[in-house]
Amino acid sequence: MTPAATAQHADTQHMSWLGKSEAWLDSKGKGAWIAAMVLGFVFFWPVGLALLFYMIWSKEMFKKSHRSCGRSRRMHMMQSSGNTAFDSYRDETLRRLEDEQRSFEDFLQRLREAKDKAEFDQFMDERAKKAAEPREPETEDA
């Protein structure tokens, strides 16, 4: 046995059956966790529910974030294809699309500001009209 295998074997000797089960499922991957959850639901639904909650709570099922996917996609986009004409076209198109996106976001911001100003002006006009209306004196019926 290698020292690493001996250390791993020694670690599993001191774990509870629950810890050993978790380590075994982790070594088999996400599919084993999902299969265990489905079997838990089939044979005794609280076990399946407990496994589902544990998988959600531990966040092990969702380790790969979407940010890392997007980052690798952007890095792939920045690599040269080997064709300089295509690379320059791609770079120009991406720059143009970024400019259009920035312009559109600026337009939306101006639109929101104009809408907010119009609503505020309407509020102030209504308030001024209410203040200009003559109030009837309150009389007490005694």
Side-chain angles (χ1 to χ4, degrees):
M1 273 188 169
T2 65
T6 307
Q8 185 180 10
H9 182 64
D11 289 343
T12 57
Q13 283 181 340
H14 299 292
M15 291 191 331
S16 68
W17 67 271
L18 199 58
K20 288 179 184 178
S21 304
E22 180 184 6
W24 184 81
L25 284 170
D26 281 342
S27 70
K28 301 299 179 196
K30 290 181 185 180
W33 279 101
I34 294 171
M37 180 189 62
V38 169
L39 289 173
F41 275 116
V42 169
F43 291 113
F44 189 59
W45 68 267
V47 172
L49 193 62
L51 279 170
L52 175 65
F53 285 138
Y54 178 75
M55 289 178 349
I56 292 171
W57 172 74
S58 69
K59 304 278 191 231
E60 291 296 318
M61 296 298 288
F62 310 108
K63 268 187 178 177
K64 188 174 183 181
S65 71
H66 293 287
R67 278 184 275 154
S68 65
C69 293
R71 192 176 325 127
S72 65
R73 192 177 309 130
R74 278 193 303 273
M75 289 303 290
H76 179 70
M77 293 292 290
M78 299 307 287
Q79 292 177 350
S80 174
S81 68
N83 185 333
T84 57
F86 173 75
D87 288 343
S88 63
Y89 167 76
R90 179 190 61 199
D91 294 341
E92 177 62 28
T93 302
L94 289 174
R95 187 195 57 74
R96 184 180 48 81
L97 288 173
E98 288 171 356
D99 290 345
E100 286 180 13
Q101 180 181 6
R102 198 173 310 109
S103 298
F104 184 68
E105 288 171 354
D106 291 343
F107 168 74
L108 288 178
Q109 182 63 30
R110 287 191 309 271
L111 195 62
R112 286 185 202 105
E113 289 171 0
K115 181 183 174 210
D116 290 346
K117 183 172 179 1
E119 288 175 355
F120 180 72
D121 290 343
Q122 181 183 2
F123 167 76
M124 292 303 286
D125 290 343
E126 289 173 2
R127 185 171 170 223
K129 286 178 187 176
K130 284 182 183 177
E133 290 177 359
R135 292 189 175 189
E136 296 178 17
E138 293 181 15
T139 58
E140 292 183 24
D141 295 328

